[in-house]
Amino acid sequence: MGNYELFKKQIKGLIGIDLNYYKEQQMKRRIESLIRKNACNSYEAYFAKLTSNKRLLEEFVSFLTINVTEFYRNPEQWQIFEDRIVPYLLNKFGKIINIWSAACSTGEEPYTVAMILSKYIPTNLINIYATDIDERVLEIAKNGIYSDKQVKNVPGDILNDNFMRTANNSLKISESIKKCVHYEKHDLLKDKYPEDMHLIICRNMMIYLTQDAKIDMYRNFRDSLVKDGLLFIGSTENIIRPQQFGFDNQTTFFYKKK
C-alpha cells in the first residue's frame, strides 16, 4: 500500500489530525479499506485524491472519526445515569449543571442526556456543550432529524414527548430539547478543554486510541472537571488504576474527580 508514515505526516498537514494517536494496525486496516473502495492502489494515490476532491476528504474524516452512536446506546448505562447519577449531580451541584458531551457524533448522546434531565429540571436550565471533530456530523446533530431505526431504544413516553413526525416520515427532536445543546467543532487530541464541567461524557471513542493518547485525555478530562465532577465512559472502556489520574470509581462506567 505504500508509505503509511508519510501519509500520516501529509494528513496532519492537510487537516490537522494526528494519526499517531490512534492504534496503528486498527487504523491502517480502516484506511486501507477506504483506499480499495476508492480504486486506489497506494497511500500516495489516495492522498492525491483527497487533496483534489472535497467530498472524498469529508468522507475520510467521517470514516476516520468512527461515528457510531444511537439514542440510549447501552440502555443499562442510561438507567444507572438516571437512577443514580442525576440525583447525585442535582444534590451535589444544584440545578445549574455544566455538561460536556465529547465526541458527540450526530447528536444522539447529548439529546439523550437532555431528555433524561428534562424529567427533573426545566429545559431552560439544561446546558450541554457537545463537540466533535467532524463538521458533517455536527450539522446532522444541529438539524436533529432521525430515522425510526435511530430512535429504536428511546422509551415510548420519552419518544412521544420529545419527537414529532415530519412530512417525509422522519422524526425531529423538539425545539425545547434542541435548545439545551450547543454544538462546536473540537479536537480532543489537540484543542483546549473547557473548564468547570460537572459531568463529561466520552463513550466508545478512547478504545481506538493508543495508551499514551488515553493517558493525556484522562488527565485533560480531570482538569476540565470541578472537584467531585464525573466522567462517564463507554461499556468497553475501563480506566485501570483511576487513582493515578485523580479519579475514584463512583459506580460502573462513572469516575469521580478526587
Side-chain angles (χ1 to χ4, degrees):
M1 280 285 179
N3 190 334
Y4 182 61
E5 291 301 316
L6 175 60
F7 182 79
K8 288 191 293 185
K9 292 177 182 177
Q10 290 173 321
I11 288 298
K12 187 174 182 181
L14 182 64
I15 56 176
I17 294 177
D18 191 344
L19 296 177
N20 287 308
Y21 288 122
Y22 295 85
K23 293 176 181 176
E24 183 164 310
Q25 292 306 313
Q26 195 176 57
M27 187 53 65
K28 282 180 73 175
R29 282 196 302 270
R30 291 178 60 80
I31 294 173
E32 286 173 7
S33 71
L34 264 186
I35 290 173
R36 290 188 292 269
K37 175 186 170 185
N38 287 282
C40 297
N41 59 9
S42 67
Y43 286 106
E44 291 80 3
Y46 182 54
F47 183 77
K49 277 194 174 183
L50 292 179
T51 59
S52 61
N53 188 321
K54 183 180 179 182
R55 181 200 59 77
L56 205 61
L57 184 60
E58 289 174 347
E59 177 191 71
F60 174 73
V61 173
S62 289
F63 194 78
L64 183 68
T65 50
I66 313 150
N67 293 303
V68 178
T69 187
E70 60 189 31
F71 287 95
Y72 285 81
R73 184 179 185 184
N74 307 119
E76 70 282 357
Q77 293 188 349
W78 292 107
Q79 197 62 55
I80 293 170
F81 176 75
E82 181 164 4
D83 293 345
R84 300 179 63 177
I85 301 306
V86 171
Y88 168 83
L89 292 170
L90 295 177
N91 290 332
K92 188 74 180 178
F93 303 116
K95 293 182 178 180
I96 306 299
I97 302 168
N98 297 326
I99 298 171
W100 177 22
S101 174
C104 68
S105 189
T106 45
E108 288 92 327
E109 180 180 271
Y111 288 140
T112 297
V113 176
M115 290 188 293
I116 292 172
L117 283 176
S118 71
K119 296 163 69 173
Y120 302 95
I121 57 177
T123 54
N124 65 335
L125 296 180
I126 300 171
N127 180 37
I128 301 169
Y129 176 59
T131 64
D132 202 278
I133 196 173
D134 185 346
E135 292 179 286
R136 288 206 303 179
V137 301
L138 290 174
E139 285 306 309
I140 294 170
K142 289 174 185 176
N143 288 332
I145 298 173
Y146 302 94
S147 67
D148 284 282
K149 182 179 179 181
Q150 288 170 298
V151 302
K152 68 181 187 299
N153 289 330
V154 180
D157 56 335
I158 303 293
L159 186 70
N160 292 335
D161 289 344
N162 295 287
F163 289 87
M164 60 178 292
R165 187 72 64 177
T166 67
N168 65 355
N169 211 30
S170 296
L171 289 153
K172 185 173 185 178
I173 201 148
S174 69
E175 287 300 314
S176 61
I177 293 297
K178 189 187 287 189
K179 288 177 182 176
C180 297
V181 186
H182 309 280
Y183 291 99
E184 284 188 24
K185 183 179 179 181
H186 181 274
D187 185 344
L188 283 164
L189 299 171
K190 71 173 186 179
D191 291 339
K192 186 178 185 296
Y193 283 33
E195 299 177 348
D196 300 323
M197 292 292 123
H198 299 107
L199 172 68
I200 297 173
I201 307 160
C202 186
R203 303 168 70 225
N204 309 302
M205 181 266 188
M206 288 182 281
I207 54 174
Y208 301 103
L209 303 178
T210 65
Q211 188 60 28
D212 286 345
K214 289 182 196 176
I215 288 170
D216 287 343
M217 285 180 64
Y218 293 147
R219 289 172 176 160
N220 286 332
F221 284 141
R222 176 201 62 208
D223 293 344
S224 183
L225 287 164
V226 300
K227 184 180 181 296
D228 297 322
L230 299 179
L231 173 64
F232 179 11
I233 64 174
S235 58
T236 59
E237 299 166 319
N238 289 321
I239 302 178
I240 308 301
R241 294 177 50 237
Q243 292 78 13
Q244 67 181 309
F245 305 113
F247 288 107
D248 284 325
N249 284 94
Q250 174 75 0
T251 185
T252 309
F253 317 121
F254 292 87
Y255 295 85
K256 180 169 72 173
K257 178 177 176 177
K258 295 194 290 187

Coordinates of all heavy atoms in Angstrom, one line a residue, residues 5-6 16 36 41 74 79 82-83 96 127 148 164 189 215 228 235 248 252 258:
E5 N 3.8 6.1 7.0 CA 4.4 7.1 7.8 C 4.3 8.5 7.1 O 4.0 9.5 7.7 CB 5.9 6.8 8.2 CG 6.1 5.6 9.1 CD 5.4 5.9 10.5 OE1 5.5 7.0 11.0 OE2 4.7 5.0 11.0
L6 N 4.6 8.5 5.8 CA 4.5 9.7 5.0 C 3.0 10.1 5.0 O 2.7 11.3 5.1 CB 5.0 9.4 3.6 CG 4.8 10.6 2.6 CD1 5.6 11.9 3.1 CD2 5.3 10.2 1.2
G16 N -4.9 18.6 10.0 CA -4.5 18.8 11.4 C -4.8 17.6 12.3 O -4.6 17.7 13.5
R36 N -9.0 1.0 -1.1 CA -9.5 0.0 -2.0 C -10.9 0.4 -2.6 O -11.2 0.3 -3.8 CB -9.6 -1.4 -1.4 CG -8.2 -2.0 -1.2 CD -8.3 -3.5 -0.7 NE -8.9 -3.6 0.6 CZ -8.2 -3.6 1.7 NH1 -6.9 -3.5 1.7 NH2 -8.8 -3.7 2.9
N41 N -4.4 2.2 -5.3 CA -3.6 1.1 -5.0 C -2.4 1.5 -4.1 O -1.5 0.7 -3.8 CB -3.0 0.5 -6.3 CG -2.1 1.5 -7.1 OD1 -1.9 2.6 -6.6 ND2 -1.8 1.1 -8.3
N74 N -26.5 1.3 24.8 CA -26.3 0.6 26.1 C -27.3 1.0 27.1 O -26.9 1.7 28.1 CB -24.8 0.7 26.6 CG -23.8 0.4 25.5 OD1 -23.0 1.2 25.1 ND2 -23.8 -0.8 25.0
Q79 N -29.8 3.8 32.4 CA -30.6 3.5 33.6 C -29.8 3.9 34.9 O -30.4 4.5 35.8 CB -31.0 2.0 33.7 CG -32.2 1.8 34.6 CD -33.5 2.5 34.2 OE1 -33.9 2.4 33.1 NE2 -34.0 3.4 35.1
E82 N -29.8 7.7 35.1 CA -31.0 8.3 35.6 C -31.2 8.0 37.1 O -31.6 8.9 37.8 CB -32.2 7.9 34.8 CG -33.5 8.5 35.3 CD -34.6 8.4 34.3 OE1 -34.5 7.8 33.2 OE2 -35.7 8.9 34.5
D83 N -31.0 6.8 37.5 CA -31.3 6.3 38.8 C -30.3 6.8 39.9 O -30.7 7.1 41.0 CB -31.4 4.8 38.9 CG -32.5 4.2 38.1 OD1 -33.4 5.0 37.7 OD2 -32.5 3.0 37.9
I96 N -28.1 24.0 38.2 CA -27.3 24.5 37.1 C -26.0 23.6 37.0 O -25.1 23.7 37.8 CB -26.9 26.0 37.4 CG1 -28.1 26.8 37.7 CG2 -26.1 26.5 36.2 CD1 -29.1 26.9 36.5
N127 N -27.9 22.9 30.2 CA -26.8 23.4 29.3 C -25.8 22.4 28.9 O -25.0 22.0 29.8 CB -26.2 24.6 29.9 CG -25.1 25.3 29.0 OD1 -25.2 25.3 27.8 ND2 -24.0 25.7 29.7
D148 N -36.6 6.1 12.2 CA -37.2 5.2 13.2 C -36.1 4.3 13.8 O -36.1 4.0 15.0 CB -38.3 4.4 12.6 CG -39.6 5.3 12.4 OD1 -40.2 5.5 13.4 OD2 -39.8 5.7 11.3
M164 N -41.3 14.8 17.0 CA -42.5 14.9 16.2 C -42.2 14.3 14.8 O -41.1 14.4 14.3 CB -42.9 16.4 16.0 CG -41.9 17.3 15.4 SD -42.5 19.0 15.3 CE -43.8 18.8 14.0
L189 N -7.7 15.7 20.8 CA -6.3 15.3 20.8 C -5.4 16.5 20.7 O -4.2 16.4 20.9 CB -6.0 14.3 19.8 CG -6.8 13.0 19.9 CD1 -6.5 12.1 18.6 CD2 -6.3 12.2 21.1
I215 N -4.0 8.4 28.2 CA -3.5 9.0 29.4 C -3.6 10.5 29.4 O -4.0 11.1 30.3 CB -2.0 8.5 29.6 CG1 -2.0 7.0 30.1 CG2 -1.3 9.4 30.7 CD1 -0.6 6.4 30.1
D228 N -15.2 16.6 42.5 CA -16.4 15.7 42.6 C -17.2 15.6 41.3 O -18.3 15.0 41.3 CB -17.3 16.1 43.8 CG -16.6 16.0 45.1 OD1 -15.8 15.1 45.3 OD2 -16.9 16.9 46.0
S235 N -19.0 1.2 27.7 CA -19.0 -0.1 28.4 C -17.8 -0.9 28.2 O -17.6 -1.9 28.9 CB -20.3 -0.8 27.8 OG -20.2 -1.0 26.4
D248 N -11.7 8.5 41.3 CA -12.2 7.4 42.1 C -13.4 6.8 41.3 O -14.1 7.5 40.6 CB -12.7 7.8 43.5 CG -11.5 8.0 44.4 OD1 -10.5 7.4 44.3 OD2 -11.7 8.9 45.3
T252 N -20.3 1.8 38.2 CA -19.9 1.3 36.9 C -20.1 2.3 35.8 O -21.1 3.0 35.7 CB -20.8 0.1 36.6 OG1 -20.8 -0.8 37.7 CG2 -20.3 -0.6 35.4
K258 N -11.3 13.3 42.3 CA -11.0 13.4 43.7 C -10.8 14.9 44.1 O -10.3 15.7 43.3 CB -9.8 12.6 44.1 CG -10.0 11.1 43.8 CD -8.9 10.3 44.5 CE -7.5 10.4 43.8 NZ -6.5 9.5 44.3

